[in-house]
Every structure is written in structure tokens, then in C-alpha cells.
Amino acid sequence: MKVKACLNQKKAIISSLTRLKNKTLEDINELDSSELKIRKNRFDTIGEVLKTIFDNLFSLAGDNEIEDYILEKQELFDTWEEMLILLDRRVSHLNKTNKNTEVTHTRNSDSTEIKLPTLSLPTFSGVIDEWLTFSDLFQAAVTNNQNLTGAQKLQYLKGVLKGDAQKIVQSLPITDGNFQIAWDLLKERYFHKREILSSLMKKLMNISPITCESHAQILRLVDSTKECVRLLETLDLKVEGTADIILMFVIQFKLDSTTRGWWERSLDSEKIPSLSELLKFLSNHARSLMTEGYGVKRNISNKKVTLVASGFQLHCTYCQNNHNLN
């Protein structure tokens, strides 16, 4: 097969993929489970044809063209895979809710959006180590709010997503059923337990040490540690036993000498303290420093005056004369 023929086939199948994608995005909410499966089979067929065409191109193309074809193939198959995932999610949702159809008007979805009350929500741009914090806050404020419909939840979700995260759900029309699909897509992309754990441990180890007995620095240390522990527990990783002791010593080594001295004096001679005991001590110690006014640098200049007794007179070393010092 000649290169020109392969290129013509590629052009035709890409056109078919684009039309099928656009049509699916338009009417996905009007299709029942059987229709969705038929649509998925059409995507499967296009995928097989694409693979064959690019295999032929790789065998016919010159060395300077291979890289361009590889990149083009990857982009096309990314689109193809996203559509398969979307269809699978939709089928799963219909099966769970025992609905045969869900009538929507996707072409007018933008015009049917309503103005929702403003909520103070975190944004998420696709940074994996920020997913847990974002997920917890968003679910507490929106997902678990029984007064909101699925469409309203999706509207809130789209409003706080940025960058790569926004691209994942931007093609989903705002309907009740699509909120769970959107959330599942985000979770599948960003909830990687091992990567999140690695990021958390790195963050914990890199917490800045305390350089002086400052209530602000102590509270930052306490807050950062508690945040890491809470996120570990979100991953079902309890900080207890040996892990608790290790973390306690990690944080203890970040204390300045003065604060560590107070901590050591507060302990029993034989008892091994827990991380929670250390954090409680630090919180109380920081409050004490705030009350007493410590932790604030003061610039006080003291002049020393030396008094020297010489006979019955007082000698002033400041002016080098003998006189009464009043």
C-alpha cells in the first residue's frame, strides 16, 4: 500500500472519529444502555482501523516522519479512550439508577444553567498532591449537600476546576446524571494513593525547622504536621504504634534548642511520648509565648557604665572626671 493511500484513509477515519465524538457528546444523555453499547462498538471499530492505518504508515514512512506520526497517533487515541471512558461511565450510571433513558436538552444546557449562591470553595488545577484536600472540602460543601441537584453540583464543580482538570469534564453537559460521571473521571485521574503518599511524606520531612522560640513558627509546625496526619488518615493509613513514635521524633528534631528543652523537662523519665502529646505541648507552649509576649524580636541597646572607687571620690569612666554620680 502506498503512503498516499494510507494518508487518504487516515484523513477519512479521523473525520469519522470527529463526527462520532461530536454526535456522542450531543446526545449521550438521550441514549439508553443498549444504544450506548452500540455507540461504543462503533468507537471500537474506529480504533481498530486507526491502529491498522498507523501500522502501515510506520512501515512506509521515512525516519524524519515517524515521530510526527507517533505524536498524531497518541493524540487521536487519547480522544478515542476518553470517549470510551465516558460511555462506560454513562452505562454504569444508568445501570445503578435503573433508568432506561434520561431525557436532556444538551444543546441548550448553557442557557438553562441557573445562578447559584456563592460558596467559598477551593480550586483544583490538576496537581495530584492537592487532590485529597480539594476532594475533602468540595465533598463536604457540595457533594454531601442534599439540597443541591446533580446539575447544580456539576455547575459548582466546573466553576472551581482549572487547567488540565477542567479539560477532563469540560465537554460534559450540565445535567443531574453527569455530576457523578465527572467526579469519577477526576478521581480516576488524580486519586493515586502511592503518589499522594509519597508527596505527603516529602511534605512532612520538608517542614521547616523552628529557628527560635517563636509562637508563630511553632504553630506553623503544629498545623503542617496535623494536616499531613489528617491526609494520611484519609488514605486509611493510621498513624499509630511505631509510625507514631517515628513521626514524633521527626517533629521533635525540628524544634529549636529552647523549645526542645522545655519539652524534655515536661516528660517522665521513662515514658515514650506520642505525637499527639508533642503537638499538644507545642500548642500550649505557643499560647504561653503569645500571652507572655515572647517570640517577638526586640532591639534594646544598653550602655554599660563602670563605677570605680578611688579613695573617697567616685571616678566616672564615662567622662574621665571625679564627681558625684546622681
Side-chain angles (χ1 to χ4, degrees):
M1 180 179 291
K2 295 182 179 180
V3 173
K4 184 177 180 179
C6 284
L7 293 176
N8 289 335
Q9 289 182 358
K10 178 170 71 72
K11 183 177 180 180
I13 198 66
I14 290 175
S15 178
S16 297
L17 174 62
T18 302
R19 287 197 303 271
L20 186 59
K21 172 190 171 183
N22 292 337
K23 180 174 176 57
T24 300
L25 292 176
E26 286 181 358
D27 59 15
I28 188 171
N29 292 300
E30 299 175 359
L31 303 176
D32 60 26
S33 296
S34 60
E35 291 170 330
L36 288 168
K37 290 178 181 178
I38 293 173
R39 190 65 57 87
K40 183 175 181 294
N41 289 336
R42 292 179 62 185
F43 275 104
D44 287 336
T45 301
I46 289 177
E48 293 174 0
V49 175
L50 270 176
K51 183 178 183 303
T52 301
I53 291 174
F54 275 99
D55 286 344
N56 291 332
L57 282 174
F58 291 151
S59 63
L60 296 172
D63 293 340
N64 59 334
E65 298 173 315
I66 292 293
E67 185 174 353
D68 290 338
Y69 286 142
I70 291 175
L71 293 175
E72 185 180 16
K73 178 183 178 183
Q74 185 61 53
E75 290 178 359
L76 289 170
F77 272 91
D78 283 346
T79 300
W80 177 76
E81 289 175 356
E82 287 176 1
M83 294 307 301
L84 290 181
I85 291 173
L86 180 61
L87 289 169
D88 284 340
R89 295 292 185 189
R90 185 62 183 159
V91 170
S92 176
H93 175 73
L94 289 178
N95 291 338
K96 288 180 181 178
T97 56
N98 295 319
K99 291 182 180 179
N100 293 322
T101 59
E102 182 179 358
V103 180
T104 60
H105 302 283
T106 59
R107 292 184 181 87
N108 298 322
S109 61
D110 291 338
S111 62
T112 59
E113 293 180 13
I114 62 174
K115 185 173 179 60
L116 298 174
T118 301
L119 294 178
S120 180
L121 298 171
T123 59
F124 181 69
S125 60
V127 180
I128 287 182
D129 58 4
E130 295 176 358
W131 168 254
L132 282 182
T133 299
F134 167 76
S135 175
D136 285 352
L137 294 175
F138 188 86
Q139 289 189 88
V142 178
T143 306
N144 298 334
N145 189 336
Q146 301 299 320
N147 296 322
L148 296 176
T149 66
Q152 291 171 330
K153 292 176 183 179
L154 181 55
Q155 192 171 337
Y156 276 122
L157 180 61
K158 285 192 170 187
V160 297
L161 295 178
K162 309 294 180 185
D164 292 338
Q166 184 184 43
K167 294 177 183 178
I168 294 175
V169 303
Q170 66 182 1
S171 61
L172 290 175
I174 296 182
T175 63
D176 286 345
N178 278 345
F179 170 70
Q180 190 59 49
I181 293 175
W183 189 258
D184 288 342
L185 287 172
L186 290 170
K187 188 175 180 180
E188 183 177 37
R189 176 70 65 87
Y190 296 112
F191 184 64
H192 299 297
K193 196 170 184 179
R194 186 173 59 188
E195 292 182 33
I196 294 174
L197 176 60
S198 176
S199 176
L200 281 177
M201 296 311 298
K202 182 178 180 180
K203 181 178 180 180
L204 185 65
M205 300 303 293
N206 289 337
I207 293 176
S208 299
I210 298 174
T211 57
C212 64
E213 194 180 25
S214 161
H215 72 270
Q217 292 190 39
I218 292 174
L219 290 178
R220 276 197 296 270
L221 176 65
V222 171
D223 292 341
S224 297
T225 304
K226 286 184 175 180
E227 180 187 11
C228 289
V229 170
R230 183 184 64 80
L231 293 176
L232 286 172
E233 291 176 346
T234 302
L235 294 173
D236 295 326
L237 298 172
K238 299 294 183 182
V239 179
E240 54 190 16
T242 304
D244 184 271
I245 296 173
I246 292 174
L247 288 183
M248 186 277 297
F249 276 105
V250 168
I251 302 305
Q252 178 179 291
F253 292 147
K254 294 181 180 292
L255 303 181
D256 65 286
S257 58
T258 304
T259 304
R260 184 170 179 179
W262 285 111
W263 163 242
E264 293 288 352
R265 284 191 287 272
S266 72
L267 301 175
D268 294 335
S269 58
E270 298 297 330
K271 181 184 176 183
I272 299 177
S274 65
L275 177 63
S276 62
E277 289 174 328
L278 172 58
L279 296 179
K280 182 178 180 180
F281 164 81
L282 291 175
S283 297
N284 292 335
H285 189 57
R287 281 195 291 271
S288 297
L289 293 176
M290 292 173 65
T291 302
E292 298 170 5
Y294 291 114
V296 180
K297 293 183 178 180
R298 297 183 177 88
N299 293 320
I300 301 176
S301 178
N302 295 321
K303 292 184 178 180
K304 294 183 179 180
V305 178
T306 304
L307 302 180
V308 180
S310 177
F312 294 98
Q313 293 181 322
L314 296 176
H315 177 71
C316 176
T317 58
Y318 188 75
C319 66
Q320 301 300 320
N321 292 320
N322 297 325
H323 58 78
N324 293 329
L325 299 178
N326 296 321

